[in-house]
Amino acid sequence: MPGILVVAETSEGAVAPISFELLGAARQLSAQGGGSVSAVVAGGEAEAKALIAHGADSVYTADAALAGQSADASLAAVEAALQGSGADIVLIGTTSFGRDLGPALAFRQKTGIAMDCTELKFDGGRLRATRGCYGGNARAEHTWKAPLQIATVKPKSFDAPEADAGRSGSVSATGAAGESKVKVLGVSKAESAGIRLEDAQVVVSGGRGLGDENGFRALEELASVLPQAAVGASRAACDLGWYPPAAQVGLTGKVVSPNLYIAVAISGASQHMAGMAGSKNIVAINKDPDANMVKAAKFAIVDDYKKVVPALIEEIKKLG
Amino acid sequence: MNIIVCVKQIPDPETPAASFKVDEAAKKVIPAQGIAPVVNPFDPQATEAALRLRDAAGEGKITVISLGPDSARDAIKHALAMGADEGVLLNDAAFEGIDNFQTAVALTKAIQKIGEYDLVLMGRSAADWDMGVVPAGVGQLLGIPVVTVAKGIEKNGAALKVERVLDDGFQTVETPLPAVVSVSNEFGEPRYPQLRQIMLAAKKTVQVWSAADIGMASDELGAGGRWLPLDALYVPKVESNVEIIEGDSPEEKARNLAQKLRAAKLI
């Protein structure tokens, strides 16, 4: 019987939020006629219970130790759940684990995979997936040639269903043993000296339009009067040596989604937009009213940043 | 140490959004006028990784493969100018419109035709479609391990030690060889080809192989052979809701912006 299989993940001993989002997506597809929802997780009763409460009709459990290994060690467990459930749709999170597991699973199953999907629809008995491409400049819609349809889902694209402790579902252990030729020797968390760009609530970024590296001194000062703020830079500014490459925001740099993104003298090429399009609120300060960044912004000032930024710093100080 | 590096030529991701156009009927990007395609920004790092490994080993050959139109020769030339030894261009009208699964099959067949390799390197994804599935595909099809998103690679006896970038940190793994490793921008700046090397690269061999040369049947190719059919490609309509902050002077604009941000509880 067709259905949807969610590949759940754990993080620090509990089911990771992305897994509940996947269940949210799966329940939507199920409501559109996609069949029942099952989940597979490297974990035990507690994880299975949480998954059922969030929308799984059945859960396949596998050795919890798989969670710390290379993703391909989990292939056997996922394939056992796939066979057990008879699912024809597999949803995986676009995470470090999912980016590795998904494509490997797809090639083994001789079917396609759509990565980083933001919309999913069950249409005429088949899955239709929408994803961004060309740095967010374009959107693509995909279907699958083979019966099995695999997609990874971009985090924060679907709402997690409310937990309902009264939901019931079946739990079975897959017993599948997995091993990877790639051995994990160690893991370290990212260093947290100062506020990490990825964690900052406010990011103040500068681009080529600053004119020289001194422009970044003004941006640093602006960041210093804002809470939880960090300074970023476009690739063009980093390539010119105006700011360290570690601060680069964009396709080939950091991906940030702060509450407030202040883009100063950045035109908004897809290279940069790909790294910050998820920001909740964008402010653009740019001389060019037609700049892409101005169009993408909530608020924009069309003027010379050299005059605007110092004044903005003073005004923010006055507001306290 | 024999290394194969796969590179791709893509539309320049620095193309201004206003110049980005899609032919919705053909489901293709229309090349922006006057903006030349570039090497995928992650690929020079893969070439750099190959050069460092070859230099550390003191021997070996680096072969660069690219699948694409005639212009993709430039992506190969770039890697050759950085110091790679030979190039192979997979070029055939039948490759037009193929997806990354067909690409992985074609690259795998080309790698098998090259024959001797200890390591296959590529960028962590191509910045155009940004799927990142080709490394996994080539690894699965060749039946060798895959390590993705590398920021550091070193030979460790017969194995390879790789430092990887995770969503929330870093991971160190060890893989036997041969293996496929995809390289991320965190690997560090690739070397910039010098004029002398660019001239030397012009003398290096670039073979051109057709689909038939690598034993791919026509029914596996073209848009019709896609594993993941493309049903639609379009530029999303972004309705601009921007509020331009007015004012008689830059200072007044700044004051009005600060007040708007405070009212919206953003500062």
Side-chain angles (χ1 to χ4, degrees), chain A residues 100 134 139 141 185 188 252, chain B residues 128 148 170 172 185 231 234:
Chain A
D100 283 355
Y134 288 90
R139 229 171 266 173
E141 291 183 14
L185 303 180
S188 62
T252 53
Chain B
D128 48 2
T148 59
F170 306 98
T172 310
N185 50 294
D231 281 15
Y234 53 93

Side-chain angles (χ1 to χ4, degrees), chain A residues 68-70 75 94-97 99-100 103-104 106-108 110-116 128 130-146 181-191 196 202 208 226 235-236 239 245 251-253 259-260 262 268-271 281 283 285 292 294-304 307-308 311-312 315-316 318-320, chain B residues 11-18 20 22 29 41-42 100-101 104-105 124 127-134 136-138 140-141 143-148 156 161 163-176 185-186 189 219 224-236 239-245 249-251 253-255 257-262 264-267:
Chain A
Q69 297 177 37
S70 292
L75 282 166
T94 312
T95 59
S96 294
F97 171 80
R99 274 188 214 100
D100 283 355
F107 276 91
R108 276 167 64 107
K110 302 203 168 12
T111 187
I113 183 169
M115 301 293 288
D116 219 17
R128 174 180 280 262
T130 305
R131 62 183 302 275
C133 53
Y134 288 90
N137 273 331
R139 229 171 266 173
E141 291 183 14
H142 291 287
T143 51
W144 282 253
K145 188 190 270 175
K181 285 185 187 147
V182 181
K183 302 285 171 226
V184 177
L185 303 180
V187 180
S188 62
K189 293 275 162 204
E191 78 293 340
R196 289 173 68 221
V202 182
R208 199 197 315 250
L226 294 164
R235 177 174 172 138
D239 283 353
L251 186 71
T252 53
N259 191 37
L260 177 61
I262 305 179
S270 72
Q271 152 75 246
N281 299 282
V283 169
I285 299 172
N292 195 43
V294 169
K295 288 183 186 142
K298 182 183 178 76
F299 299 119
I301 290 182
V302 178
D303 212 320
D304 182 1
K307 296 196 177 103
V308 173
L312 187 58
E315 293 299 333
I316 291 169
K318 272 190 223 161
L319 289 173
Chain B
D12 190 347
E14 297 281 6
T15 303
F20 183 87
V22 163
V29 171
F42 301 110
N100 36 12
F101 298 86
V105 171
R124 77 163 194 223
D128 48 2
W129 289 95
D130 196 23
M131 287 258 215
V133 309
V134 171
V138 170
Q140 284 289 333
L141 295 167
I144 62 176
V146 180
V147 179
T148 59
N156 192 11
K161 199 165 133 187
E163 198 180 353
R164 304 181 58 218
V165 183
L166 303 183
D167 290 335
D168 58 353
F170 306 98
Q171 183 188 54
T172 310
V173 300
E174 189 173 77
T175 177
N185 50 294
E186 285 89 347
E189 282 300 296
D219 61 347
R226 291 176 68 104
W227 298 25
L228 189 70
L230 178 62
D231 281 15
L233 183 71
Y234 53 93
V235 176
E239 44 199 280
S240 179
N241 291 318
V242 64
E243 179 180 346
I244 304 286
I245 307 289
S249 65
E251 291 75 17
K253 290 177 188 172
R255 186 177 323 127
L257 175 63
Q259 280 163 4
K260 290 268 185 199
L261 291 175
R262 174 51 63 88
K265 295 196 167 64
L266 292 172
I267 57 169

Side-chain angles (χ1 to χ4, degrees), chain B:
Chain B
M1 194 177 195
N2 293 321
I3 304 172
I4 294 170
V5 183
C6 303
V7 301
K8 184 179 184 185
Q9 188 183 55
I10 62 163
D12 190 347
E14 297 281 6
T15 303
S19 309
F20 183 87
K21 301 252 164 18
V22 163
D23 179 341
E24 291 188 14
K27 292 177 279 192
K28 270 186 199 150
V29 171
I30 301 167
Q33 283 237 319
I35 301 175
V38 296
V39 184
N40 174 43
F42 301 110
D43 295 350
Q45 267 99 348
T47 306
E48 179 65 34
L51 292 166
R52 290 190 204 170
L53 286 165
R54 185 193 62 185
D55 294 348
E59 50 82 34
K61 190 167 95 173
I62 299 172
T63 309
V64 184
I65 308 178
S66 189
L67 184 153
D70 290 336
S71 65
R73 192 183 284 268
D74 292 344
I76 295 173
K77 286 280 177 196
H78 183 265
L80 294 178
M82 284 176 71
D85 300 294
E86 282 180 15
V88 174
L89 175 65
L90 303 179
N91 179 257
D92 198 307
F95 292 143
E96 184 74 17
I98 66 173
D99 66 16
N100 36 12
F101 298 86
Q102 296 160 293
T103 300
V105 171
L107 290 174
T108 300
K109 287 181 185 275
I111 290 164
Q112 284 167 330
K113 187 174 159 97
I114 290 167
E116 278 183 35
Y117 63 92
D118 302 295
L119 179 63
V120 179
L121 292 171
M122 33 187 121
R124 77 163 194 223
S125 64
D128 48 2
W129 289 95
D130 196 23
M131 287 258 215
V133 309
V134 171
V138 170
Q140 284 289 333
L141 295 167
L142 287 172
I144 62 176
V146 180
V147 179
T148 59
V149 204
K151 79 182 277 268
I153 306 173
E154 63 183 86
K155 195 92 184 297
N156 192 11
L160 207 62
K161 199 165 133 187
V162 183
E163 198 180 353
R164 304 181 58 218
V165 183
L166 303 183
D167 290 335
D168 58 353
F170 306 98
Q171 183 188 54
T172 310
V173 300
E174 189 173 77
T175 177
L177 295 174
V180 177
V181 177
S182 79
V183 182
S184 186
N185 50 294
E186 285 89 347
F187 188 83
E189 282 300 296
R191 67 196 67 186
Y192 196 76
Q194 304 298 317
L195 183 62
R196 200 180 71 88
Q197 293 170 302
I198 294 169
M199 289 168 65
L200 280 173
K203 298 199 183 81
K204 292 179 182 173
T205 320
V206 178
Q207 298 187 60
V208 181
W209 293 349
S210 67
D213 289 335
I214 53 171
M216 271 188 103
S218 56
D219 61 347
E220 301 174 81
L221 289 164
R226 291 176 68 104
W227 298 25
L228 189 70
L230 178 62
D231 281 15
L233 183 71
Y234 53 93
V235 176
K237 304 254 179 299
V238 244
E239 44 199 280
S240 179
N241 291 318
V242 64
E243 179 180 346
I244 304 286
I245 307 289
E246 303 294 347
D248 290 336
S249 65
E251 291 75 17
E252 191 183 331
K253 290 177 188 172
R255 186 177 323 127
N256 292 339
L257 175 63
Q259 280 163 4
K260 290 268 185 199
L261 291 175
R262 174 51 63 88
K265 295 196 167 64
L266 292 172
I267 57 169

Side-chain angles (χ1 to χ4, degrees), chain A:
Chain A
M1 209 187 82
I4 306 134
L5 175 67
V6 163
V7 179
E9 281 179 62
T10 57
S11 163
E12 285 158 11
V15 176
I18 178 71
S19 307
F20 299 137
E21 294 167 25
L22 294 175
L23 286 170
R27 291 263 47 123
Q28 282 185 19
L29 295 174
S30 178
Q32 292 162 18
S36 68
V37 176
S38 46
V40 56
V41 66
E45 277 295 322
E47 287 80 10
K49 239 178 165 166
L51 290 166
I52 290 168
H54 284 89
D57 300 315
S58 58
V59 176
Y60 296 83
T61 59
D63 186 359
L66 288 173
Q69 297 177 37
S70 292
D72 56 331
S74 293
L75 282 166
V78 174
E79 287 178 335
L82 195 53
Q83 194 155 37
S85 66
D88 59 352
I89 295 174
V90 182
L91 302 183
I92 305 169
T94 312
T95 59
S96 294
F97 171 80
R99 274 188 214 100
D100 283 355
L101 181 93
L105 180 68
F107 276 91
R108 276 167 64 107
Q109 296 289 332
K110 302 203 168 12
T111 187
I113 183 169
M115 301 293 288
D116 219 17
C117 300
T118 52
E119 286 168 47
L120 299 169
K121 210 162 54 181
F122 193 71
D123 186 13
R126 300 284 288 164
L127 184 64
R128 174 180 280 262
T130 305
R131 62 183 302 275
C133 53
Y134 288 90
N137 273 331
R139 229 171 266 173
E141 291 183 14
H142 291 287
T143 51
W144 282 253
K145 188 190 270 175
L148 182 64
Q149 305 150 96
I150 308 179
T152 74
V153 175
K154 191 182 182 79
K156 309 226 166 79
S157 299
F158 289 86
D159 292 328
E162 291 289 323
D164 173 2
R167 286 193 86 250
S168 61
S170 63
V171 181
S172 45
T174 64
E179 217 184 310
S180 174
K181 285 185 187 147
V182 181
K183 302 285 171 226
V184 177
L185 303 180
V187 180
S188 62
K189 293 275 162 204
E191 78 293 340
S192 56
I195 298 159
R196 289 173 68 221
L197 207 46
E198 300 94 314
D199 297 337
Q201 284 299 303
V202 182
V203 173
V204 182
S205 278
R208 199 197 315 250
L210 289 178
D212 59 45
E213 60 183 296
N214 294 328
F216 278 98
R217 301 294 89 77
L219 302 194
E220 284 167 350
E221 200 185 335
L222 176 56
S224 73
V225 300
L226 294 164
Q228 295 283 308
V231 175
S234 74
R235 177 174 172 138
C238 293
D239 283 353
L240 287 160
W242 295 351
Y243 219 61
Q248 192 204 124
V249 172
L251 186 71
T252 53
K254 302 272 163 44
V255 176
V256 301
S257 49
N259 191 37
L260 177 61
Y261 191 91
I262 305 179
V264 183
I266 298 178
S267 67
S270 72
Q271 152 75 246
H272 190 73
M273 301 304 284
M276 47 65 68
S279 303
K280 317 291 180 292
N281 299 282
I282 298 169
V283 169
I285 299 172
N286 207 300
K287 274 187 192 163
D288 177 8
D290 298 321
N292 195 43
M293 188 62 81
V294 169
K295 288 183 186 142
K298 182 183 178 76
F299 299 119
I301 290 182
V302 178
D303 212 320
D304 182 1
Y305 87 93
K306 283 184 182 165
K307 296 196 177 103
V308 173
V309 171
L312 187 58
I313 293 167
E314 289 316 309
E315 293 299 333
I316 291 169
K317 278 187 189 163
K318 272 190 223 161
L319 289 173

